[in-house]
Amino acid sequence: QVQLVESGGGLVQPGGSLRLSCAASGRTFGDYAVGWFRQAPGKEREFVATISWNAFSKYYADSAKGRFTISRDNAKNTAYLQMNSLKPEDTAVYYCAADTKYTPWPPRNPRDFDSWGQGTQVTVSS
């Protein structure tokens, strides 16, 4: 079983940056892929990015390419999402998730992930 806790959300102006963190506990962190998703009010949960267990492979949604960077530090049991050039449409609750089922690469559907954090709010507004 994996427990995940997100942090780092907040209010930022358009064009600004935030770095989200996802602290994991339970199962060995280096055993599984980690993904980031987001959900805006009234919308479905949307894939953002995913990173393989060894950080060798990364996959991004089109909306995140060139602006967001996913990373992980297995020694610190933590994954990160660096978000730059933020836009108002990036406003959402951001969730990290663990794929301990070894879904074929890349896992990018919510059903590919079996453990979720509680989410952290990101608001992009002037």
Short mmCIF file of all heavy atoms in Angstrom, two decimals, residues 34-36 47-52 57-62 64-65 70 105-108:
data_model
loop_
_atom_site.label_atom_id
_atom_site.label_comp_id
_atom_site.label_asym_id
_atom_site.label_seq_id
_atom_site.Cartn_x
_atom_site.Cartn_y
_atom_site.Cartn_z
N VAL A 34 5.04 7.09 -11.18
CA VAL A 34 4.24 8.12 -10.52
C VAL A 34 3.67 9.05 -11.59
O VAL A 34 4.35 9.41 -12.55
CB VAL A 34 5.09 8.94 -9.52
CG1 VAL A 34 4.29 10.11 -8.97
CG2 VAL A 34 5.57 8.04 -8.39
N GLY A 35 2.43 9.41 -11.41
CA GLY A 35 1.79 10.33 -12.34
C GLY A 35 1.22 11.53 -11.62
O GLY A 35 0.98 11.51 -10.42
N TRP A 36 1.05 12.60 -12.40
CA TRP A 36 0.35 13.80 -11.92
C TRP A 36 -0.90 14.00 -12.77
O TRP A 36 -0.86 13.87 -14.01
CB TRP A 36 1.23 15.04 -12.03
CG TRP A 36 2.30 15.13 -10.99
CD1 TRP A 36 3.59 14.73 -11.10
CD2 TRP A 36 2.16 15.69 -9.67
NE1 TRP A 36 4.27 14.99 -9.94
CE2 TRP A 36 3.40 15.59 -9.04
CE3 TRP A 36 1.10 16.26 -8.97
CZ2 TRP A 36 3.64 16.03 -7.74
CZ3 TRP A 36 1.33 16.71 -7.68
CH2 TRP A 36 2.58 16.59 -7.08
N PHE A 47 -5.02 13.91 -17.20
CA PHE A 47 -3.62 13.51 -17.10
C PHE A 47 -2.71 14.70 -17.38
O PHE A 47 -2.97 15.50 -18.29
CB PHE A 47 -3.34 12.39 -18.10
CG PHE A 47 -1.89 12.08 -18.29
CD1 PHE A 47 -1.19 11.38 -17.32
CD2 PHE A 47 -1.22 12.50 -19.42
CE1 PHE A 47 0.15 11.09 -17.49
CE2 PHE A 47 0.12 12.21 -19.61
CZ PHE A 47 0.81 11.52 -18.63
N VAL A 48 -1.61 14.80 -16.61
CA VAL A 48 -0.63 15.86 -16.81
C VAL A 48 0.72 15.28 -17.23
O VAL A 48 1.28 15.66 -18.25
CB VAL A 48 -0.47 16.71 -15.54
CG1 VAL A 48 0.63 17.75 -15.73
CG2 VAL A 48 -1.79 17.37 -15.16
N ALA A 49 1.25 14.36 -16.42
CA ALA A 49 2.58 13.81 -16.71
C ALA A 49 2.78 12.54 -15.90
O ALA A 49 2.13 12.34 -14.87
CB ALA A 49 3.67 14.82 -16.37
N THR A 50 3.71 11.71 -16.37
CA THR A 50 4.05 10.50 -15.63
C THR A 50 5.54 10.22 -15.78
O THR A 50 6.17 10.60 -16.77
CB THR A 50 3.21 9.30 -16.13
OG1 THR A 50 3.40 8.19 -15.28
CG2 THR A 50 3.58 8.91 -17.55
N ILE A 51 6.12 9.57 -14.77
CA ILE A 51 7.54 9.28 -14.76
C ILE A 51 7.74 7.84 -14.34
O ILE A 51 7.06 7.34 -13.43
CB ILE A 51 8.28 10.26 -13.82
CG1 ILE A 51 9.80 10.09 -13.91
CG2 ILE A 51 7.79 10.14 -12.38
CD1 ILE A 51 10.58 11.22 -13.24
N SER A 52 8.68 7.16 -15.00
CA SER A 52 8.94 5.76 -14.69
C SER A 52 9.64 5.61 -13.35
O SER A 52 10.13 6.59 -12.78
CB SER A 52 9.78 5.13 -15.81
OG SER A 52 11.05 5.77 -15.88
N SER A 57 12.21 7.44 -18.06
CA SER A 57 11.16 7.75 -19.04
C SER A 57 10.16 8.72 -18.44
O SER A 57 9.78 8.60 -17.26
CB SER A 57 10.43 6.46 -19.45
OG SER A 57 11.31 5.56 -20.08
N LYS A 58 9.76 9.68 -19.26
CA LYS A 58 8.77 10.68 -18.85
C LYS A 58 7.80 10.87 -20.01
O LYS A 58 8.19 10.78 -21.17
CB LYS A 58 9.45 12.00 -18.49
CG LYS A 58 10.50 11.89 -17.41
CD LYS A 58 11.25 13.18 -17.19
CE LYS A 58 12.37 13.00 -16.17
NZ LYS A 58 13.11 14.26 -15.93
N TYR A 59 6.57 11.14 -19.66
CA TYR A 59 5.54 11.33 -20.69
C TYR A 59 4.64 12.46 -20.24
O TYR A 59 4.24 12.52 -19.07
CB TYR A 59 4.75 10.03 -20.87
CG TYR A 59 3.76 10.06 -22.00
CD1 TYR A 59 4.17 9.82 -23.31
CD2 TYR A 59 2.41 10.34 -21.78
CE1 TYR A 59 3.27 9.85 -24.35
CE2 TYR A 59 1.52 10.38 -22.82
CZ TYR A 59 1.94 10.13 -24.10
OH TYR A 59 1.04 10.16 -25.13
N TYR A 60 4.32 13.37 -21.18
CA TYR A 60 3.55 14.56 -20.85
C TYR A 60 2.30 14.67 -21.70
O TYR A 60 2.29 14.30 -22.88
CB TYR A 60 4.40 15.81 -21.07
CG TYR A 60 5.61 15.92 -20.19
CD1 TYR A 60 6.84 15.42 -20.58
CD2 TYR A 60 5.52 16.55 -18.94
CE1 TYR A 60 7.96 15.53 -19.77
CE2 TYR A 60 6.63 16.67 -18.12
CZ TYR A 60 7.84 16.16 -18.54
OH TYR A 60 8.95 16.27 -17.73
N ALA A 61 1.27 15.25 -21.12
CA ALA A 61 0.12 15.68 -21.90
C ALA A 61 0.56 16.85 -22.78
O ALA A 61 1.49 17.59 -22.45
CB ALA A 61 -1.01 16.10 -20.98
N ASP A 62 -0.13 17.04 -23.89
CA ASP A 62 0.21 18.14 -24.79
C ASP A 62 0.15 19.48 -24.05
O ASP A 62 0.96 20.37 -24.32
CB ASP A 62 -0.73 18.15 -25.98
CG ASP A 62 -0.46 17.02 -26.96
OD1 ASP A 62 0.63 16.40 -26.86
OD2 ASP A 62 -1.33 16.74 -27.79
N ALA A 64 1.03 20.14 -21.16
CA ALA A 64 2.15 20.30 -20.23
C ALA A 64 3.51 20.38 -20.93
O ALA A 64 4.48 20.87 -20.33
CB ALA A 64 2.17 19.13 -19.25
N LYS A 65 3.57 19.92 -22.15
CA LYS A 65 4.85 19.87 -22.85
C LYS A 65 5.47 21.27 -22.99
O LYS A 65 4.79 22.23 -23.36
CB LYS A 65 4.66 19.27 -24.24
CG LYS A 65 4.40 17.77 -24.23
CD LYS A 65 4.18 17.25 -25.65
CE LYS A 65 3.85 15.76 -25.63
NZ LYS A 65 3.56 15.26 -26.99
N ILE A 70 8.36 16.86 -14.93
CA ILE A 70 8.18 15.88 -13.86
C ILE A 70 9.53 15.29 -13.50
O ILE A 70 10.38 15.08 -14.37
CB ILE A 70 7.18 14.78 -14.28
CG1 ILE A 70 6.78 13.92 -13.08
CG2 ILE A 70 7.71 13.95 -15.44
CD1 ILE A 70 5.64 12.94 -13.38
N TRP A 105 3.90 0.99 -20.39
CA TRP A 105 4.29 2.39 -20.53
C TRP A 105 3.66 3.03 -21.75
O TRP A 105 3.67 2.41 -22.83
CB TRP A 105 5.81 2.49 -20.60
CG TRP A 105 6.27 3.91 -20.64
CD1 TRP A 105 6.63 4.63 -21.73
CD2 TRP A 105 6.35 4.78 -19.51
NE1 TRP A 105 6.94 5.90 -21.36
CE2 TRP A 105 6.77 6.03 -20.00
CE3 TRP A 105 6.08 4.64 -18.15
CZ2 TRP A 105 6.97 7.13 -19.16
CZ3 TRP A 105 6.27 5.73 -17.32
CH2 TRP A 105 6.71 6.95 -17.84
N PRO A 106 3.17 4.26 -21.59
CA PRO A 106 3.10 5.07 -20.37
C PRO A 106 1.73 4.96 -19.69
O PRO A 106 0.71 4.98 -20.34
CB PRO A 106 3.31 6.48 -20.91
CG PRO A 106 2.65 6.46 -22.26
CD PRO A 106 2.84 5.06 -22.79
N PRO A 107 1.73 4.85 -18.37
CA PRO A 107 0.45 4.90 -17.67
C PRO A 107 -0.06 6.34 -17.70
O PRO A 107 0.66 7.26 -17.32
CB PRO A 107 0.80 4.46 -16.25
CG PRO A 107 2.23 4.82 -16.09
CD PRO A 107 2.86 4.70 -17.45
N ARG A 108 -1.29 6.56 -18.18
CA ARG A 108 -1.80 7.92 -18.32
C ARG A 108 -3.29 8.03 -18.11
O ARG A 108 -3.84 9.12 -18.22
CB ARG A 108 -1.44 8.49 -19.69
CG ARG A 108 -1.85 7.58 -20.84
CD ARG A 108 -1.37 8.15 -22.16
NE ARG A 108 -1.54 7.19 -23.24
CZ ARG A 108 -1.29 7.45 -24.52
NH1 ARG A 108 -0.85 8.64 -24.87
NH2 ARG A 108 -1.47 6.52 -25.44
#
